[in-house]
Amino acid sequence: MATISKKLASLINDQINAELYSAYLYQDIADYYHGEKLIGFAKWFDKQAEEELEHAKKFIDYLRDNGEKVVLKDIKAPKNKFKGLRDGLALQLTHEEAVTAMIYRLMDQAVEEKDYRAQSFLKWFVDEQTEEEAHSHELLEKFDLYGSDLSVLYRLDSELGGRK
Ligand code: MG
């Protein structure tokens, strides 16, 4: 069986917690938009939450494949106070930027250890973060351009609701 360093295993355990927290965070944002009757926005963030659970699962599988124990830690509750419709979108962008920094930290460790398998595994997350940041940025930009126009906002909502 393949192995990884205790240090990398510990960082991955932290990342599992971070991915599960991301799911919590996006679920909270989804519920906010649901309350504002923006059902498409809510669906977008429901999907984001689901994706984060998949990310956690990928890290769990990686630890298992390397004979390391998964250590599940407490997930902190999101304490978001949304003052307006822009806040959920802005939060998504700053959160994804923070997650990218965490993935880079993992990659730095894998590079330092010359763990090529870990680097290959983590590359998927590096690419995923590029996509996540681009989507988050685009959505916020659209909102800033058109969000004050109610008819456009509702079109954006139905566009987001069409996400597969
Ligand atoms: Mg993630």
Side-chain angles (χ1 to χ4, degrees):
M1 184 185 274
T3 56
I4 55 172
S5 73
K6 293 294 168 198
K7 176 74 192 169
L8 201 49
S10 161
L11 286 173
I12 289 175
N13 270 305
D14 290 344
Q15 192 62 36
I16 291 166
N17 187 264
E19 300 293 342
L20 294 173
Y21 173 73
S22 295
Y24 256 39
L25 183 73
Y26 288 139
Q27 202 60 67
D28 192 48
I29 299 174
D31 291 340
Y32 165 69
Y33 285 120
H34 197 269
E36 296 297 320
K37 309 300 172 213
L38 286 172
I39 304 306
F41 278 65
K43 191 177 165 199
W44 169 273
F45 282 100
D46 280 341
K47 288 275 176 196
Q48 286 293 87
E50 275 174 34
E51 271 193 20
E52 299 306 338
L53 296 178
E54 287 168 19
H55 295 169
K57 190 65 173 62
K58 278 182 193 283
F59 282 112
I60 287 168
D61 287 343
Y62 193 74
L63 283 186
R64 285 177 175 169
D65 290 346
N66 285 279
E68 288 295 329
K69 184 141 181 44
V70 175
V71 183
L72 294 177
K73 300 169 184 182
D74 289 346
I75 304 164
K76 90 182 157 160
K79 292 200 169 53
N80 297 315
K81 298 218 183 336
F82 301 101
K83 291 191 201 79
L85 297 176
R86 188 181 191 276
D87 287 3
L89 302 179
L91 184 58
Q92 173 177 231
L93 180 59
T94 54
H95 183 68
E96 287 302 335
E97 286 168 349
V99 171
T100 299
M102 286 182 234
I103 298 295
Y104 285 0
R105 170 72 190 91
L106 282 167
M107 186 61 104
D108 284 344
Q109 188 65 30
V111 168
E112 192 188 312
E113 294 179 12
K114 295 194 165 96
D115 184 335
Y116 300 113
R117 281 183 314 103
Q119 290 174 39
S120 172
F121 166 70
L122 290 168
K123 186 182 175 299
W124 185 90
F125 287 94
V126 172
D127 296 340
E128 173 72 7
Q129 284 312 116
T130 304
E131 241 180 72
E132 293 283 11
E133 281 192 39
H135 286 152
S136 306
H137 199 259
E138 185 192 324
L139 204 47
L140 190 59
E141 239 173 13
K142 273 189 188 171
F143 184 86
D144 284 343
L145 278 170
Y146 309 116
S148 56
D149 181 332
L150 219 55
S151 68
V152 182
L153 182 66
Y154 275 89
R155 225 176 307 146
L156 184 58
D157 187 57
S158 82
E159 183 189 315
L160 291 178
R163 179 179 178 182
K164 293 283 172 281

